[in-house]
Amino acid sequence: MKRIITVQDISCVGKCSLTVALPVISAMGVETAVLPTAVLSTHTAFKGFTFRDLTDDIESVCSHWKQEKISFDAIYTGYLGSFRQLELMSKLFTDFGGNDTLIFVDPCMADNGRLYPGFTQDFAFAMAKLAGRADVIVPNLTEASFMLGIPYIASGYDENYIKDILRKLAGLGAKKVIVKGVEFNDGKIGIMSYDTLSGTFSSYFHEKLPTSFHGTGDIFASVCAGALMRGWTLERAYALAADYVVESIKATISHKDYNWYGVDFETVIPYLVKRLEK
């Protein structure tokens, strides 16, 4: 069985970060180890949440793994809350990475044209440096713009514009680049990717639903990483991830009084498992 380590926070209530990555990747038949970066009572869309930083524990945890000669087939980083955590992830890549270890970076730091609270442009550039060490990166269009230091364009762009973004992101050093949230004003939204090894672009688009939820980016990244661990191609992996997000949203809004803070990804896990069998 493949083993992946995912590094991100635990929001105890909220259906995001580790509380998504652990069950989803495990359901995909991949051993999922975790390295929590912080513990929050809820995710940050709630008011008055508690927060405990676990940065000081990361080095000791990693040291113990080295003593036990534990290895990973993939390293998947999600939300990282400080420059220090970025530095520690770079060390993690060095200590536990290698030719056969997939490094998968989801630069969770921005959406809808804005950085999340507490992040700055300098942080985005530091995240870009970390992403440059990855095999696969999965930013949304906002995160891509901040990492490149270019203005965010919400709409009115064309395919050549996205291809230019992908080439520039690949120029940071990542081998395979995915950009999420791409739409060309045709009622659909999706993904475009670029593989530096083959020099090819690819894409996948699906229906755009009338609502959005916190945590769907974490679901997308987790399914994509899990599928890659199952030996799927990048194109099949991100198509599955996108479809699973759509199905999760549909399952959520099918209920009259659905939760506002996250999607019912749990009820759609049978769909995910069945897709893996095809």
Side-chain angles (χ1 to χ4, degrees), residues 4 21 36 77 90 109 129 135 161 180 205 224-225 228 236 239 245 254 256 278:
I4 189 171
T77 64
S90 184
M109 60 180 177
K129 186 176 180 181
D135 296 297
Y161 173 78
K180 303 173 293 185
F205 291 88
C224 190
L228 291 173
R236 290 185 68 208
V245 169
S254 69
K256 180 180 178 182
K278 292 183 179 180

Side-chain angles (χ1 to χ4, degrees), residues 109 121-122 124-125 128 141-152 161 165 168-169 172:
M109 60 180 177
Q121 180 62 67
D122 284 343
F125 286 146
L141 192 53
T142 299
E143 289 157 347
S145 299
F146 275 107
M147 286 198 293
L148 295 174
I150 62 176
Y152 167 72
Y161 173 78
I165 292 280
K168 288 177 178 176
L169 288 169
L172 299 173

Side-chain angles (χ1 to χ4, degrees), residues 62-232:
C62 292
S63 293
H64 183 229
W65 288 343
K66 290 175 70 175
Q67 291 174 7
E68 294 296 319
K69 296 181 172 55
I70 294 172
S71 61
F72 303 103
D73 297 292
I75 301 169
Y76 156 34
T77 64
Y79 183 93
L80 301 171
S82 66
F83 287 95
R84 178 58 178 153
Q85 288 186 357
L86 294 178
E87 293 171 359
L88 289 170
M89 289 308 98
S90 184
K91 187 174 188 300
L92 180 73
F93 293 170
T94 298
D95 291 345
F96 293 93
N99 293 333
D100 298 325
T101 300
L102 178 77
I103 296 179
F104 186 103
V105 173
D106 182 9
C108 302
M109 60 180 177
D111 203 1
N112 297 316
R114 289 178 288 190
L115 289 162
Y116 294 154
F119 290 146
T120 64
Q121 180 62 67
D122 284 343
F123 183 86
F125 286 146
M127 177 64 80
K129 186 176 180 181
L130 182 73
R133 298 192 59 188
D135 296 297
V136 179
I137 60 173
V138 291
N140 59 39
L141 192 53
T142 299
E143 289 157 347
S145 299
F146 275 107
M147 286 198 293
L148 295 174
I150 62 176
Y152 167 72
I153 299 176
S155 61
Y157 50 77
D158 60 13
E159 184 175 311
N160 287 330
Y161 173 78
I162 300 299
K163 286 183 176 180
D164 186 55
I165 292 280
L166 289 165
R167 290 189 191 95
K168 288 177 178 176
L169 288 169
L172 299 173
K175 296 182 179 68
K176 298 181 180 182
V177 181
I178 293 170
V179 171
K180 303 173 293 185
V182 176
E183 50 185 320
F184 299 122
N185 301 318
D186 58 357
K188 294 187 176 182
I189 190 168
I191 304 103
M192 286 189 66
S193 72
Y194 178 57
D195 185 338
T196 64
L197 302 178
S198 63
T200 57
F201 295 93
S202 62
S203 62
Y204 182 75
F205 291 88
H206 54 82
E207 63 180 306
K208 184 178 181 180
L209 298 175
T211 186
S212 60
F213 289 89
H214 193 97
T216 52
D218 300 332
I219 294 172
F220 176 91
S222 298
V223 173
C224 190
L228 291 173
M229 285 294 91
R230 292 287 300 257
W232 285 37

